[in-house]
Amino acid sequence: MLDGVETGYEGKFDFPGRAPELAYLLATVPRTGSSFLSHVLWRTGCLGAPLEYLNFDKEGPYFFAHGAPDQQDWLWRSVLRRRTSPNGVFGVKCFPTQLEALHQANPGLLKAIWSTLLPAGRPGRIVYLARRDRTAHAISYARATLSGIWRKEQEAGGRAEPDYSAEALATAERWIDAQTAAWEEMFAQLRIAPLRLWYEEVAASPDEAVRQVADYLGVTLDPAAAVEIPAVEKQAEAGARAWAERHKQGGQVAKATSPSGKG
């Protein structure tokens, strides 16, 4: 969590407690604008609050549950109640690396999660967010990994702009490819055709993205249900543009190293 920054995980933003009637997964990989989409959907007050409730990384929102399965189980039961919108819709955003971590360390919780997202006798609902511009995606991922800056609020800390690195770009491309392939394999195994959204279209027309998700879930939007939540601001673009220019000058990047799920 970020000191002094409201990210949306705070209890003051909880919905009135209730059990979900409809649950969906917002499947994505890092640096797709997924935090922006999560908050756009949440703001309707009708599409749950699909944040990273399975992020138990040491630097994640629920860092205190890292390595503590009992705490993780309790948190999942808690968010199911607190983050279901009044119309009974619950959403959770995650990366494939977070599911893999649960598979390794807390398989019981993973089973409970799938029973919520894929209830017996009912169709599963998955919204998949990706980026069309592969180079821009890799640049965003590489720069965030090198700098440690993942949100607009962190830019005020005076951290130096990371030097261009073809190696970091190649590694980022491989990370993205590995996580994308993991999702596609899962969709095939589950025989689910997700609703596919693209970062570029979501950024250009967030209201249209909301409509698509609502239609896909079969949810009626009620303007009166809208809620006030923290804004997700777009990060500065000057550094990314400079990297893109260097990439054009330098040609193709080198072969990458092993994947990472840093979010």
Side-chain angles (χ1 to χ4, degrees):
M1 302 296 284
L2 302 175
D3 292 339
V5 176
E6 290 183 336
T7 59
Y9 292 90
E10 298 81 6
K12 64 186 286 186
F13 298 110
D14 290 348
F15 288 117
R18 63 155 298 168
E21 296 179 9
L22 171 66
Y24 70 97
L25 171 66
L26 175 53
T28 189
V29 304
R31 312 308 290 174
T32 59
S34 58
S35 292
F36 173 74
L37 177 59
S38 292
H39 283 63
V40 167
L41 299 176
W42 180 8
R43 193 171 292 117
T44 67
C46 298
L47 297 171
L51 305 188
E52 289 180 46
Y53 304 124
L54 307 180
N55 186 349
F56 305 121
D57 185 83
K58 291 181 180 179
E59 297 179 359
Y62 296 137
F63 63 90
F64 54 86
H66 180 77
D70 289 347
Q71 281 267 42
Q72 295 171 7
D73 295 347
W74 176 84
L75 276 167
W76 176 249
R77 293 192 298 269
S78 177
V79 297
L80 276 178
R81 178 180 56 82
R82 297 183 290 109
R83 293 304 174 99
T84 296
S85 47
N87 61 339
V89 178
F90 173 81
V92 56
K93 181 186 87 170
C94 73
F95 308 136
T97 49
Q98 293 164 354
L99 296 179
E100 177 59 27
L102 286 176
H103 176 71
Q104 297 294 331
N106 195 350
L109 175 57
L110 184 59
K111 182 178 180 180
I113 290 166
W114 283 128
S115 69
T116 298
L117 296 175
L118 304 172
R122 296 172 60 185
R125 293 285 184 260
I126 298 177
V127 177
Y128 180 56
L129 177 66
R131 290 182 75 154
R132 294 189 187 278
D133 190 331
R134 174 184 170 86
T135 299
H137 192 177
I139 287 172
S140 178
Y141 206 163
R143 291 180 66 251
T145 302
L146 290 174
S147 67
I149 296 176
W150 299 86
R151 293 177 59 101
K152 173 72 173 180
E153 293 87 352
Q154 294 174 298
E155 294 178 344
R159 303 188 199 187
E161 168 68 25
D163 293 332
Y164 175 83
S165 169
E167 181 180 0
L169 260 181
T171 299
E173 285 188 332
R174 177 162 177 169
W175 291 348
I176 293 166
D177 287 347
Q179 293 181 70
T180 299
W183 281 130
E184 295 296 346
E185 181 179 358
M186 189 194 77
F187 300 154
Q189 291 177 347
L190 296 174
R191 298 182 179 180
I192 290 178
L195 170 65
R196 295 179 183 269
L197 299 179
W198 298 98
Y199 161 80
E200 291 82 357
E201 280 82 349
V202 170
S205 185
D207 289 344
E208 174 61 17
V210 167
R211 185 196 63 76
Q212 290 183 59
V213 173
D215 288 349
Y216 173 71
L217 298 176
V219 171
T220 300
L221 298 175
D222 178 4
V227 294
E228 292 292 328
I229 58 172
V232 175
E233 298 184 39
K234 188 175 179 63
Q235 291 181 233
E237 297 181 337
R241 287 196 295 267
W243 271 55
E245 186 59 32
R246 284 290 304 275
H247 178 62
K248 288 180 182 178
Q249 296 172 359
Q252 296 301 312
V253 297
K255 191 172 182 179
T257 57
S258 60
S260 166
K262 179 74 174 182

